[in-house]
Amino acid sequence: MTLIPLRPLMEASVKHGFAQGAFNVNAVAQAKAAIGVHEMFRSAAILQGADLANGFMGGRCDFMNATLEDKKKGAKNIARAVKKYGEDSPIPIVLHLDHGRDFDSCAAAIAGGYTSVMIDGSSLAFDENVELTREVVKYAHARGVSVEGELGVLAGVEDHVFSEGSTYTNPLKAVEFFRKTGVDALAISYGIMHGASKGKDVKLRKEIAVAIREFLNHEGIFGALVSHGSSTVPEYIVNEINGLGGTLTGAIPDEDTPAITDCIERGVKEVVGTLIVQFGSYGKAPLVEQVSLEEMAERYKKMQI
């Protein structure tokens, strides 16, 4: 099965009332394990590569300073890993860019084989965020690639994103954002946090998400709502990796690599499998339409008429 854009999966989740997890993969072992556990639960999969991860996978250890060419190379490497285990998979798989920081980062991911991108303009003024997001949407939709935007600021740290406090998303502004940009999905802020949040200092205002959904339904606008900040790592996985030298600086000895890889795969399967059940996406893969990028590009074109 070829990779699909995000839109058909989000349409299925909204129609049939289930949540869909999205999981970052920065190594072949993670991609392999994530796809395997989704297949076991017959759940569609969203695998993510972060903007900075693309730089790292492009060969830049100082990935904060990765060039556009580094990101293009890294995007292809991550896409190659996902396709290796996903092309013959019975489940639909989306390859999504997490926190694209600018237009060029999104274009690099698309060139590398991503079927969905996030453009994070949440640090900008509303009108500037709209303008940037709309530019990405125009470019991506012409290629059948889906787009996620972000409105509101989440506390915490993730890649290049950092904020000590949250700015809650205004539901009316969210609807305006969907209407003006044409995004397929929108990450909103309602008290969730970037990073490995365990609930400390988190004050959820779920009524914000409920209000946005009701407004979208009333206006007849399609839009999936996205929650960031659901990261978690089992303590035993952290201890096991550290026990194998994970806290050391420099390279890990080659003889330890299989053990670390096995540890990573077991951890991914445990965490991802648990969340698939909690989100309710198990058994839902057959409900997701398998749409190619070419077909999706034609659909986006008709939506603009």
Side-chain angles (χ1 to χ4, degrees):
M1 177 181 298
T2 56
L3 303 181
I4 69 166
L6 180 67
R7 177 83 179 217
L9 177 46
M10 293 295 93
E11 289 176 342
S13 70
V14 171
K15 179 179 179 180
H16 298 285
F18 63 91
Q20 181 69 46
F23 304 97
N24 284 55
V25 294
N26 303 311
V28 175
Q30 291 176 323
K32 175 185 176 183
I35 292 173
V37 73
H38 277 88
E39 290 176 346
M40 183 173 67
F41 282 100
R42 292 194 306 125
S43 169
I46 303 174
L47 301 186
Q48 298 187 148
D51 183 43
L52 294 183
N54 283 341
F56 178 75
M57 290 298 288
R60 288 296 294 262
C61 292
D62 58 335
F63 48 82
M64 291 293 290
N65 297 314
T67 67
L68 189 59
E69 288 305 312
D70 294 328
K71 293 178 181 180
K72 287 181 179 179
K73 181 179 177 182
K76 289 180 180 178
N77 287 336
I78 292 178
R80 189 178 298 116
V82 172
K83 289 177 180 178
K84 177 179 179 180
Y85 296 101
E87 281 188 330
D88 295 326
S89 175
I91 62 169
I93 299 172
V94 176
L95 180 56
H96 180 69
L97 174 68
D98 187 24
H99 285 295
R101 64 193 308 172
D102 51 34
F103 178 89
D104 288 340
S105 294
C106 292
I110 293 171
Y114 281 60
T115 59
S116 179
V117 295
M118 177 191 184
I119 177 62
D120 183 358
S122 60
S123 63
L124 303 174
F126 180 80
D127 289 342
E128 294 175 338
N129 190 357
V130 166
E131 183 178 354
L132 172 61
T133 304
R134 187 163 49 199
E135 183 182 12
V136 173
V137 167
K138 181 179 179 180
Y139 181 86
H141 280 187
R143 292 157 178 78
V145 173
S146 302
V147 180
E148 172 195 353
E150 182 164 342
L151 186 62
V153 179
L154 275 65
V157 180
E158 183 177 358
D159 294 330
H160 61 274
V161 182
F162 170 75
S163 177
E164 291 185 355
S166 297
T167 301
Y168 292 110
T169 302
N170 182 319
L172 291 175
K173 283 293 187 180
V175 176
E176 182 182 353
F177 192 87
F178 270 109
R179 184 182 291 113
K180 288 184 173 181
T181 63
V183 289
D184 304 281
L186 182 65
I188 60 172
S189 173
Y190 59 98
I192 48 181
M193 296 176 64
H194 282 134
S197 173
K198 299 295 188 295
K200 182 181 179 181
D201 299 326
V202 172
K203 297 180 181 179
L204 294 179
R205 294 185 57 190
K206 292 183 283 187
E207 65 271 17
I208 291 176
V210 173
I212 295 173
R213 172 55 57 206
E214 289 299 320
F215 289 161
L216 289 174
N217 290 343
H218 180 268
E219 295 298 315
I221 299 173
F222 174 82
L225 301 182
V226 180
S227 294
H228 283 241
S230 301
S231 304
T232 182
V233 181
E235 185 176 359
Y236 85 87
I237 295 294
V238 175
N239 293 337
E240 192 166 343
I241 290 178
N242 287 346
L244 290 165
T247 59
L248 298 177
T249 58
I252 296 172
D254 289 342
E255 60 268 21
D256 290 337
T257 301
I260 292 176
T261 300
D262 176 68
C263 180
I264 290 172
E265 290 186 10
R266 286 187 287 110
V268 168
K269 289 178 180 179
E270 177 185 341
V271 172
V272 173
T274 299
L275 291 174
I276 287 173
V277 173
Q278 292 178 347
F279 292 152
S281 63
Y282 54 89
K284 302 299 195 305
L287 301 176
V288 180
E289 187 179 8
Q290 299 173 28
V291 183
S292 69
L293 293 182
E294 292 75 20
E295 291 171 328
M296 197 68 236
E298 288 300 316
R299 294 186 187 186
Y300 281 134
K301 188 183 301 183
K302 292 178 181 178
M303 290 178 191
Q304 296 173 352
I305 298 176

